[in-house]
Amino acid sequence: MTKLRGRWPATLGIALFAALALFSGFDRLSSHQPGDERLVPAPFRADAARVTAARHLVAGELDLASASAREAILADPADARGPAFLGAAAYASGDEALGGEAMKVAAAISAREPLAQGAFTAIAMDEGRVADAARHFDILLRVHPETRVLDGLFAIMESREEGRAELARRLGTQSLWTDAYLRAEGQDAAILRERAAFLTRNAGAIPLGCARIDPLVRELARRNYRADAQALQRVQCSGASSGQLLADPAFDKLGEDALFGWRRHGSGGVRIAAVGGAVELANRTSVTRLVLSQPVALEAGEYRAFASVAGSQSDTLLASLDCGQPERPSQAGGALARGQLLRAKGCENEVVGIWLRPGSDAVTLDNVRLQRVGQGD
């Protein structure tokens, strides 16, 4: 239990520093010109002390954080942030008794004090009091629905079976929890993937539907985690794709907002246009250019890429298969029109690229498909 309690205070302090350390001119005066501190009214001295306490917490300077928090309490005993910072510093120092008392004082002054509610959430989960943890977490969600401190607390709930059950119940019935859990933009990739896996495993208990999971699915697809995105979409959406190796092989959705389809890579001298159920490509530059790409989810091994290519320069189209970003294929590796051999590494962000060599004539591409070597159609 001590190990857990020693981990959360710094995280909470860092997150709240950004939200609470609002400087005024008097803050700067008391922070940078200590000799003039007698000229600063007490409320502003308390603000400066709280800002300093937060800074020291972020830096891991726990004795200094504790001293500044005590100054804030003396200057403004009615503000919950002073005892909350003191409690965070105490917990991080291993003084659980002082930490607990300080957080209780902070919560008594204001039940909306986020450091205290975050602490109570983590401790209640550590002690197996899941209902209490969820109650404190709910308060924190209502006060700061967008703070990143929620990520750590969601992870704590996910770490225990009873916590996962309570999380599933809340996500299925309370939009405030669901909105925070599904927030995808700017989120760490590991967290996105863990949440997608949790929602996939528990789709029966948490039937969110396509509209709610759409931001998460889109962000996973944008980062090339196609397997995670498709697995989640498949269990949460009716009529979702069955998971073929390539999406939109006939370019029916080129130019639309298809989650797993082709991405165009246009540039000066390169033309990419949907024409009669296919795509017409031209490269007027002097170098081989990436024209299309698509994230894929493949097991490691050899695959052959096929396509219907029309035009006098059909051998100018090449395929690539890489992790993360498409890389220009070797000129000696064959051509897409003749069945190009590709090797998948089995990475989590694999992507197929289609490249076009320089040429004076356009080519038309249709019916692109992948086939595992040694397996029939």
Side-chain angles (χ1 to χ4, degrees), residues 336-360:
L336 184 57
R338 292 182 279 114
Q340 187 174 343
L341 187 65
L342 304 172
R343 182 177 295 278
K345 298 178 181 178
C347 50
E348 296 166 335
N349 56 349
E350 209 139 29
V351 59
V352 167
I354 295 179
W355 301 73
L356 184 59
R357 292 172 177 163
S360 58

Side-chain angles (χ1 to χ4, degrees), residues 55-333:
R55 283 175 169 170
H56 288 315
L57 274 174
V58 171
E61 298 164 346
L62 303 180
D63 289 341
L64 294 175
S66 179
S68 295
R70 292 177 189 277
E71 290 178 18
I73 293 169
L74 291 174
D76 187 2
D79 192 296
R81 289 170 292 179
F85 285 136
L86 177 62
Y91 269 125
S93 300
D95 190 342
E96 296 183 10
L98 176 58
E101 288 303 314
M103 289 301 186
K104 288 178 184 177
V105 171
I109 296 172
S110 173
R112 295 166 59 87
E113 167 48 48
L115 261 177
Q117 295 303 333
F120 295 154
T121 301
I123 293 170
M125 274 303 305
D126 190 47
E127 294 176 349
R129 295 182 287 110
V130 177
D132 287 340
R135 177 171 56 83
H136 291 300
F137 195 9
D138 191 69
I139 295 173
L140 182 58
L141 271 169
R142 296 178 188 280
V143 178
H144 288 285
E146 297 185 2
T147 178
R148 289 299 187 200
V149 84
L150 301 175
D151 295 338
L153 297 176
F154 274 130
I156 291 174
M157 295 197 73
E158 292 168 338
S159 68
R160 300 177 65 120
E161 183 177 354
E162 60 270 35
R164 291 191 292 271
E166 179 67 17
L167 180 58
R169 187 181 73 81
R170 297 274 183 161
L171 292 177
T173 59
Q174 298 185 22
S175 60
L176 187 67
W177 285 62
T178 311
D179 290 344
Y181 196 76
L182 294 178
R183 191 172 297 115
E185 186 176 358
Q187 184 61 275
D188 182 77
I191 292 176
L192 290 178
R193 300 187 66 208
E194 288 168 4
R195 291 183 181 174
F198 180 78
L199 294 173
T200 300
R201 290 193 303 269
N202 296 278
I206 317 173
L208 299 177
C210 279
R212 296 306 303 273
I213 65 164
D214 187 68
L216 178 54
V217 171
R218 287 181 181 277
E219 189 64 17
L220 286 165
R222 187 185 71 80
R223 300 192 196 188
N224 285 347
Y225 293 113
R226 184 177 187 243
D228 304 83
Q230 281 196 311
L232 177 58
Q233 187 188 60
R234 195 174 300 121
V235 297
Q236 291 284 353
C237 305
S238 59
S241 168
S242 61
Q244 58 187 344
L245 296 184
L246 279 176
D248 193 22
F251 301 98
D252 294 323
K253 297 182 179 180
L254 184 67
E256 300 177 15
D257 189 21
L259 285 181
F260 306 107
W262 296 103
R263 302 171 184 176
R264 291 194 273 195
H265 299 270
S267 61
V270 173
R271 179 171 178 266
I272 306 169
V275 178
V279 60
E280 187 175 87
L281 305 167
N283 181 4
R284 303 284 193 260
T285 72
S286 59
V287 296
T288 300
R289 290 292 180 89
L290 175 68
V291 289
L292 299 164
S293 70
Q294 180 179 141
V296 292
L298 302 175
E299 296 179 358
E302 290 188 332
Y303 294 79
R304 198 167 288 278
F306 299 92
S308 299
V309 183
S312 61
Q313 298 177 318
S314 61
D315 281 356
T316 56
L317 276 175
L318 309 173
S320 64
L321 184 55
D322 303 289
C323 299
Q325 296 293 329
E327 298 182 8
R328 183 177 285 108
S330 167
Q331 299 288 325

